[in-house]
Amino acid sequence: MWLKPEEVLLKNALKLWVTEKSNDYFVLQRRRGYGEDGGGLTGLLVGTLDTVLDSTAKVAPFRIIHQTPDSQVYWNIACGASLEEISQHWDWLQQNVIRTLSVFDSGEDITSFVQGKIRGLIAEEGKSASDEEDPERYREAVLRFERLFGLPQREKLVTYFSCSYWRGRVPNQGWIYLSTNFLCFYSYMLGNEVKLVYPWDEVSRLERTSSVLLAESIRVCVRGEDHFFSMLLRLQQTYLIMQQLADYAIVRFFDKETFHAEHPLANPLHITQRALEIHARNQSFRAFFRLPQEENLCEVYESFLWVPFSLVNTLGKICVSENYLCFASQDGSQCHLIIPLWEVFSVELPDRSSRALTVCLRGKRALRFSEVRDLERLAATIRRKCGTEGSPQHFISNPDEEGVMVGQSQAVSTEALMNVFHPHDAENLDPKMLKERMKEQSWQIHFAEYGRGTGMFCTKKTRDLIVRGVPETLRGELWMLFSGAVHDMTSHPGYYGRLLEECMGSSSLACDEIERDLHRSLPEHPAFQSDTGISALRRVLTAYAHRNPKIGYCQAMNILTSVLLLYAKEEEAFWLLVAVCERMLPDYFNRRIIGALVDQAVFEELIRERLTQLTEHMTDLSFFSSVSLSWFLTLFISVLPIESAVNVVDCFFYDGIKAILQLGLAVLDYNMDNLLCCHDDAEAVTVLNRFFDSVTNKDSPLPVTVQQASATANDKSVQKVDISNLIKEAYEKYGDIRTEEVENMRKRNKLYVIQTLEDTTKQNVLRVVAQDVKFSAAQLDELYMLFKRQHFVSCYWSVCSPALQNHDPSLPYLDQYQLDQSQFSSLFNLLQPWTARTHARSRSLARSAFRILDENGDGLVNFKEFICGLDILNNRSFTEKLKFLFKLHLQPGTQEFKILPSSRFFPPAEDHSFSTRLSDSAEDGVIRKCPERGRAKVDLQEYLKQWQEDLQRREENIKDLPRINQAQFIGLTKTLYGVFHGDEEEESLYRAVARVTSLLLRMEEVGRKLQESSPQKTPQSTPPSTAQPETSPTLPTSPETETLTKDEGDRPESPVSQQETAPSHSDITPTSTSRPSTPTSSPTGTSSPMLDTPTDTTPSSPSTVRDGDWSFSFEQILASLLNEPSVVRFFERAIDTDSRIAHARKNQLKDAH
């Protein structure tokens, strides 16, 4: 066990210890009297000393001490009761610490590091694996976590570990904290503090790695920067938890097609380490046995199973779920089987001495388990679960079944299309048919020996039969069995028929896409040249689009479904499609085909490992990603003849994606020489196309009318490749690839693929925005990440956040991330260059800014709208900044106006824009589900349309701005006071605003008096509809006016007199009894009256000024402020944007409290 480091002085000490192993920094010692020389006089003396000097506890016979070459002081850091125990500690130090210590310059630093590391290990060993077991310790960790990182209390700490973080070549010993949304690390050693806080949604790489300096560590890549964590006591456990949390964030935020509201980890506030472990265990259990998503692993028992065909007892584990009893041998490959519990009718305990248990099944079958741990509990569990009402009868192929499914309003074929268009001829003595019958006979023998249906033993012999090829008559049954679709169909009786009734007559974009592709699905096959096959294909695809609107319909689904319908009945084909889309090829058929991109990344990784010669020749392997996309999406159906492709599908349903990866490697290996001679991608594509044209299935019993003749079918000079031999070669060369390894590679590459897509989105957005703003590229990048994080901040601690609904990858790039008013206000207040004096004032200004930036009125602001508004406040001229502040105080609906002087900064807000159509059609659930929608094609058309209209829009003139009334002007003045607060020229700025305010009001009064003294105009010059009343009452004093004139708290006290800083109430309240005129001001302070004719604003416009009210135009305010040099200097002063960005980055999460 590890010990708290204690100083030991060995110089002149008794020789009580013998050194077993040593190096420059550690010594492993054995106490004399133990081990090989334990029987001598020395051993007897040491034993006596131990008894006399330490009567309370016996001294451990083995220990490890730490030393430095230049010190006589040693530190005791570990002890053990046996050599095996202490050797584990020694090996850990050798692997994780020894090489690290060489980076330190002094012995003191080495000792300090070792002491900190050992203390961390002690705390790690004492830490409970579960929160519930030691709540006090966990509570202390939570308080420490909240204090160190300042995250909201809603952030859930999952677990924490002692580790070292590498900054350069020097390790920092500390603690890593793993929470629901963040990876955090804290260290304080030798006066050096290290604090890291990274959200999981920004992690692009997460993997275990090793190097010369680091024995084994965890590499975390965030925004292109690598971080290494090592010396973890439980490295694999830590890595798995980090992987789960990162994957949880990715699925929840970016890949919502696979994230359901009923997800067991849906609530981020309830995630614990135990919940993550249970979820991972359930996922592995369902994936291995291909069970429905509703099944969860309840209990696990280790036992032996009597295997009748081998006449041996096989060691393995019994896994019990809600409806199934499963068994897998220890290595998982020798044998496994699945028993539906409704097939069990009795459980017997024949021999308790051997802890044996017999499970009797229907059909006179029995399974005998022995050496079962906790035998009574297992027997009781099976009996209890079998006592529930049984599910419907499990699937058994019945080739004689014909007709229409009962209870359905639509005619649904219960016959595979291959049986209809190519019935099995028992009298045909063709050599190919004879070979087909031999295959059937082999499978019948297999069924007799290993069982048939859901209770069949799956062994290596089963895989051998699959590789040789499945008979045409058994293909549908075996596909259902090996894919697990039989379990889905059994647990959902009548589900397909109900789906058809629900979607009958419905119309959606998915239906239109399906109709367009129906006649493109195996058009050369007779089954799809008739209404029978086309109708069945339409029903299956439409039913699935109705079942899963998040996927709906995507291209390539029609090709796959058409092949399924050839060998399976219609309902079976539907459940096979469900198994492929939702379980075996996750994320393949969604908006961004993420699953296919992930598997292509896995394929590239395997090429680097297995085909090094090809890797050296082609430095850029992205070519293989592009050329192999159709291989993965269609399971080679689109590149191979149908009679050969079905053999690939056989292997896929048995081994999953592993079979496709193996075959892909075999194809490249077979064409290695030709590929190495290629000079460009075009030649390589030609080589592969010629190869696929040469692939045949010499054993296929299908007639020529059904087979797909290749371009080289009659070319005898082309060497033919038999698909069976190719598949056999793939299994022989690459069969050692394990399914667990593939799944780990999938998880590792999924983070990278998602973040690559996100980076592409960011680059497209920044490219569009950069031409319209004056921020630097680095600043735009930081602002985009702040904007994106603000979008997610409200999602971190909410189950159903509206922001999650707003994020839609199918929308144009600019609209994928948008902020609502609350999110906008928080980020806007962090980034705006001037801080308002009160929180309420800040919120009010942010609301007004949101209103004018949200041009299309959908309650959301995208990044371009946000950044252009921020660009005005940071980088534009005094006039532009003042105009923006002026617009903030206009009432909503006063007049339609643009945000920027040039309308090119913003796309037009149209009622029937692309994004609006998508949101309006969200109810059908399939409007955005086709992969080509929302991608480059649609985005390009939309942007071109927007740019064309932008070019036709004219520049905004300041004369087009509406006049600002009394209350609005007072609000603008208060805003200016708040903006100037805290500035070094605060007093002169306040005086300037007061002078401008007084000047404008007096100018208005002069205009009124001149209007009163001017002769009355002729009736012809004034339209009758605009005649004004002769008199109007005096305006009451508003609270805002009182605030402005009395200066109650909104303006700090200054030596300026009341008379100088603000006009009196008599100056503000107009005395004129006629409509005010509009003085024209100049920078010199002079003004000339100009009659405010009714043509400026229509009578129905909200901006029309009431009789007796006073108002100002933007020109007047601008001209008056231009006379104040201090104001002009303030607004023309350069803004330190980088410091504002750093401030926002530091406080963004704190603002979420």
Side-chain angles (χ1 to χ4, degrees), residues 17 29 60 92 156 218 230 292 346 428 507 574 625 837 888 894 1078 1153:
W17 297 86
Q29 294 182 331
W92 190 91
K156 172 74 173 179
I218 298 176
S230 66
S346 69
N428 190 345
S507 178
F574 169 79
S625 295
R837 294 176 57 185
L888 290 181
T894 298
T1078 307
H1153 281 253

Side-chain angles (χ1 to χ4, degrees), residues 418-470:
M418 192 63 76
N419 294 337
V420 176
F421 291 89
H422 179 55
H424 184 67
D425 187 2
E427 299 180 358
N428 190 345
L429 299 180
D430 182 86
K432 292 184 177 181
M433 289 302 301
L434 291 176
K435 197 162 188 178
E436 184 76 3
R437 291 179 186 176
M438 292 175 61
K439 288 184 182 178
E440 294 177 6
Q441 188 64 29
S442 298
W443 277 98
Q444 296 299 334
I445 295 173
H446 184 277
F447 292 150
E449 190 173 356
Y450 295 89
R452 184 172 186 174
T454 54
M456 182 177 72
F457 284 87
C458 294
T459 65
K460 293 180 179 179
K461 186 175 180 181
T462 310
R463 178 180 280 113
D464 293 339
L465 289 175
I466 290 288
V467 172
R468 287 166 53 188
V470 175

